[in-house]
Amino acid sequence: MNHIETRLHRDRDGWHATSNLDLADNRLLQIRTYKSTSVGALRTNATVHTKTGDGGLRHIMGFGSVGGDFSETLVASRPARVTEKVVTAQHESVLKTLPGVLAAVEAHYAKTPAIALPN
């Protein structure tokens, strides 16, 4: 498995943890743990992006249909407080399930046809 890089930081919305893992086909798996301000839950999501070559990332939203990039909420919890320790614990527990996440990503792209995008 490739090296996974995790970054923990705090901004005006609170603590966030983000882990990135390079995948085949110029893709990047990003796992993010953050407080969702819209629903008040501490969420951990996994999304796959394509590297654009200029340092950017592209994610095609599929809303559950064939053709979009992988995107899934892995955990949603409602801790009393969203502290650095709580964010770190939830994020690390999800990283322990990484083989299952990678299997779900692989299955998603096995059934998703490649999309030709205009340049």
Side-chain angles (χ1 to χ4, degrees), residues 27-59:
R27 290 188 174 125
L28 176 85
L29 171 63
Q30 190 171 74
I31 298 175
R32 293 182 57 230
T33 301
Y34 62 97
K35 182 177 179 182
S36 173
T37 54
S38 61
V39 294
L42 180 61
R43 301 173 67 97
T44 303
N45 294 342
T47 53
V48 174
H49 306 268
T50 301
K51 296 177 187 178
T52 60
D54 59 2
L57 300 172
R58 182 185 74 229
H59 177 82

Side-chain angles (χ1 to χ4, degrees), residues 97-118:
T97 68
L98 193 56
V101 174
L102 291 171
V105 168
E106 189 174 310
H108 175 84
Y109 288 103
K111 66 181 178 186
T112 301
I115 297 174
L117 296 176

